[in-house]
Every structure is written in C-alpha cells, then in structure tokens.
Amino acid sequence: MMQPSRPFGMVLRASRTIPKDVIRQSRIGYPERTFGSRFSSSSTGSTSSVGQSPAPERRWSLMRLGLSVAKYTAFLIGSAGAGVLLIGGSVFIHDAFTYSEKHLDRVPVSPLALNPKLGGPKNLPIAEVNLDDEENEECIKMAGKPRLVIVGGGWGALGVLKTLNPGDYHVTVIAPETFSTFTPLLPSAAVGTVQVRSLVEPLRKIIARVRGHFLNGYAVDLVMGEQLLEVETIESDGKKKRLYVPYDKLIIAVGSVSSTHGVPGLEHCFQLKTISDARNVRRRVLDNFETASLPTTTPEERKRLLTFVICGGGPTGIETAAEIYDLCQEDIVNYFPKICRKEVSIYIVQSRDHILNTYSENISKYAEQRFARDGIEVVTNARV
C-alpha cells in the first residue's frame, strides 16, 4: 500500500532545516581534515597538533634520498669498472693479435743473395736474388714474376706503385732516400709551421703493398744490352760500392735537380727542394734572428742579417716569402726584441712581368696587392 503524500511533504520541509556543513560532509562521506590531522589525532585524540612538521615523514624522505644516492653511486662505480675492464680487455686482445711471436731462428736465405756472382761489363756483383726472396711460399712465388725496377722515390714512382696490383711483378725500387717527401709543404717546414716528420712517408711502407723490395742507392749507369742497371751504394765505413740490378722492365722516375742556370755564386745560396734544404733554411733564419738580437750587433749588420731575398716568383718562392712574413708576425714579434721585426726586409726577384705567371691573372694581381700591403717588395723583370 502506498504511503500518503502528506508525510512525504513534511519530510521535504524538514530537510530544509539541515545545516549546510552537515550536508556537505554527508556528500563527501567523512568530515574535512588537514593532511597532518591523520597522524596527530590518532596519537593524542585532539586537534592541537594539526599543521606541525611530522618527524616520521621526514625520516622516510631522508631514507628514500639516501637509497637513491646509493643506487646511482653504485651504478656509476659499476659502469666505470665495466668500462675499465672492457678497455683493458680490448688492449690485451689487440696485443695478442698484433704482437705475435715469429720464429726467426731458421730463416731461409739463398746462397746467391749472400754471395752474388760477378758479371757485366765491369765485372760487378749481380743482385739476381734478394735476401728475402725465399722467406716463405709467397716470396718464392713472387721471385718468379717479371722483374720491374723503378728508379726514384718521388711523385712519379709513387704514381706507378699505386697502379700496380700485388703479385703482378717482382718490384724493386732504387732511391737515394728511404722516404718520400710531400714537397708542397717544404716552405712551411722551413719556418717551423709544420714539423718535418709530417712531410715524409717511408718508402718501404709504401712498397709493402705490392710486396716489393727497396735498395738505398743511386743509379749511375745502364747496360741495355744485358738489361743491367748499375747502382752505387754507400757502405757502413763510408766507402762507395757498385753492383748490377737485373730487370725485365725499367721505369726511370728520378725527377729533376735544382739548376743555377750558370749564374756564379748561386751554389752558395739555400735551395728548397728536399727535407735537408728545409732544415738548413730554418736553422739559418733562426740563427740570423738570434745574432741580430745581440747587443753587440751593429745596426748595419742587423739590417743585413734580417734581409731575405727569394729568387723566383713561382709557387715555392711566393709561399716561402709568405711563410717568412708569418713567422715575423706571429713568433718573432712575441719572442724577440721588437727592433728585429722592424728591421726585417723581404724581397722577391722575378724575371717576368708578374709573379705566379702560370696561374690566372686575378691570382697574380691579388698576390702582388697583398704583398704590397704587407711590405714585401716584388722586383719584376729582373734577373740575378
């Protein structure tokens, strides 16, 4: 049976008298309280400790922070240890595969390599067999290939070596130097901008790609009828000795030498073609500056010592003049008395109308204008 509507209306009217804070608490389900009241009310039963700093919560925070620091510290220490072990293991593995022991007690050498037979027009020793032609099976196989002899160790010889395939020829390179020189950087080496060791590459290292041989000496004569190349070597006591090197194919790539063009006195000047020339120029330049900085040096002598004349307006001469100027601007002015930099004079003597005449006209004009601003005097249409 349904209830009468009157009491229901009474209940509605009665609900209007309920306080608003009670209604709000009834909707939430529990009375409002602050974050700290949960801890304080349970221990003391009162609300007087609400808002105070909780000691247990602070201790838990410090414990969590300590655990985090310990965890990351252990991770860093473990990573560093693993890295050290990995690098150390890599080094030991590299050494194990690189520095392997090789048995050298019984190296096979042909008797003809130790005591070559005599022959040829001058009855000289003939190097038919090299000392390493019978070291292993690969060397024995290479000894039966056609003999290719390359005279010289410069750009031409290196260009030929790069085109050869390993195993095509029994290659022998004959050169007076044991290294190849990167000649474009010789002017920089002459004043110390780059080190000399940066300009050289051992010839034996280059020849190793084609499994060739190297003889340190000069080619002085050629017997074409018997296909013999006469080579002059220098022994440990300084004495010269000659021998014949047989060939099937001969490549002459000796390059050129500096010429004085018949001008007397130029043989006493410094040239710039080899590593030795660059070292001699550098030594003389620095010695001149040291002598010019002495208090006993007269002004006339100081001026003479610090005057540099470059004969030739080509790429080598222009770069040499520029390197000497840079040396004065960057090093001399900082480490020597300023009067030494002031007394420096640089001259370029060119037999043509312009310097760098093998290049475009714009490059030549730019170089002349730059030298004019830097105080480098260019003397054109003049010969020494």
Side-chain angles (χ1 to χ4, degrees), residues 77-150:
I77 295 175
S79 301
V84 171
L85 292 177
L86 180 61
I87 295 174
S90 302
V91 171
F92 283 114
I93 293 174
H94 176 268
D95 291 344
F97 286 96
T98 303
Y99 304 103
S100 59
E101 294 184 0
K102 297 182 180 180
H103 300 285
L104 303 176
D105 51 350
R106 295 182 180 180
V107 178
V109 180
S110 173
L112 288 176
L114 299 176
N115 298 295
K117 67 179 183 179
L118 303 179
K122 299 180 181 180
N123 197 29
L124 298 176
I126 302 177
E128 294 180 344
V129 182
N130 294 311
L131 291 174
D132 53 352
D133 277 345
E134 297 184 1
E135 287 186 353
N136 48 48
E137 295 295 332
E138 185 178 6
C139 293
I140 296 175
K141 183 179 179 180
M142 292 290 297
K145 298 291 183 178
R147 297 176 180 273
L148 174 63
V149 177
I150 302 175

Side-chain angles (χ1 to χ4, degrees), residues 60-351:
W60 278 108
S61 300
L62 293 176
M63 291 178 62
R64 286 194 298 268
L65 179 61
L67 291 175
S68 300
V69 171
K71 179 176 67 176
Y72 287 111
T73 303
F75 176 76
L76 292 176
I77 295 175
S79 301
V84 171
L85 292 177
L86 180 61
I87 295 174
S90 302
V91 171
F92 283 114
I93 293 174
H94 176 268
D95 291 344
F97 286 96
T98 303
Y99 304 103
S100 59
E101 294 184 0
K102 297 182 180 180
H103 300 285
L104 303 176
D105 51 350
R106 295 182 180 180
V107 178
V109 180
S110 173
L112 288 176
L114 299 176
N115 298 295
K117 67 179 183 179
L118 303 179
K122 299 180 181 180
N123 197 29
L124 298 176
I126 302 177
E128 294 180 344
V129 182
N130 294 311
L131 291 174
D132 53 352
D133 277 345
E134 297 184 1
E135 287 186 353
N136 48 48
E137 295 295 332
E138 185 178 6
C139 293
I140 296 175
K141 183 179 179 180
M142 292 290 297
K145 298 291 183 178
R147 297 176 180 273
L148 174 63
V149 177
I150 302 175
V151 182
W155 295 100
L158 296 184
V160 174
L161 289 172
K162 289 183 178 180
T163 61
L164 297 178
N165 296 320
D168 289 348
Y169 295 97
H170 182 272
V171 181
T172 301
V173 177
I174 301 172
E177 301 287 351
T178 60
F179 51 84
S180 177
T181 305
F182 189 75
T183 52
L185 289 180
L186 282 177
S188 300
V191 297
T193 303
V194 297
Q195 295 296 325
V196 173
R197 61 176 176 269
S198 303
L199 278 64
V200 298
E201 184 73 12
L203 285 176
R204 289 187 179 272
K205 182 178 179 181
I206 300 173
I207 299 170
R209 187 187 68 86
V210 295
R211 301 174 181 87
H213 311 273
F214 176 76
L215 291 179
N216 186 208
Y218 292 87
V220 295
D221 199 359
L222 179 63
V223 184
M224 299 187 66
E226 301 182 23
Q227 291 187 326
L228 296 175
L229 179 68
E230 186 177 347
V231 179
E232 182 180 84
T233 61
I234 300 178
E235 296 183 345
S236 58
D237 56 359
K239 296 181 180 180
K240 296 180 180 180
K241 189 174 183 179
R242 296 190 178 186
L243 71 156
Y244 286 125
V245 178
Y247 66 89
D248 295 318
K249 295 184 179 182
L250 178 64
I251 296 177
I252 299 176
V254 295
S256 60
V257 295
S258 300
S259 176
T260 59
H261 301 284
V263 179
L266 284 185
E267 64 272 10
H268 304 295
C269 299
F270 289 95
Q271 300 177 359
L272 192 56
K273 190 174 181 62
T274 64
I275 292 294
S276 299
D277 295 339
R279 287 172 174 168
N280 293 334
V281 171
R282 181 179 182 180
R283 187 181 300 111
R284 174 56 66 89
V285 169
L286 294 180
D287 288 346
N288 282 8
F289 276 105
E290 292 292 347
T291 305
S293 62
L294 295 176
T296 56
T297 303
T298 62
E300 294 78 11
E301 182 67 11
R302 183 180 296 109
K303 184 67 176 178
R304 187 188 68 83
L305 290 172
L306 301 181
T307 299
F308 303 96
V309 180
I310 295 94
C311 300
T316 303
I318 296 305
E319 190 172 356
T320 302
E323 289 289 350
I324 294 177
Y325 175 80
D326 291 340
L327 173 68
C328 298
Q329 290 294 104
E330 298 175 3
D331 294 336
I332 301 302
V333 73
N334 293 326
Y335 307 122
F336 285 82
K338 299 297 187 296
I339 191 175
C340 292
R341 173 62 188 95
K342 181 181 178 182
E343 296 294 334
V344 170
S345 300
I346 303 174
Y347 295 88
I348 299 175
V349 181
Q350 169 69 341
S351 61

Side-chain angles (χ1 to χ4, degrees), residues 31-90:
E32 293 182 352
R33 61 178 65 181
T34 60
F35 179 77
S37 61
R38 290 183 299 172
F39 302 95
S40 60
S41 59
S42 61
S43 59
T44 60
S46 63
T47 60
S48 61
S49 62
V50 176
Q52 294 181 358
S53 177
E57 179 67 19
R58 187 165 54 253
R59 287 195 296 269
W60 278 108
S61 300
L62 293 176
M63 291 178 62
R64 286 194 298 268
L65 179 61
L67 291 175
S68 300
V69 171
K71 179 176 67 176
Y72 287 111
T73 303
F75 176 76
L76 292 176
I77 295 175
S79 301
V84 171
L85 292 177
L86 180 61
I87 295 174
S90 302

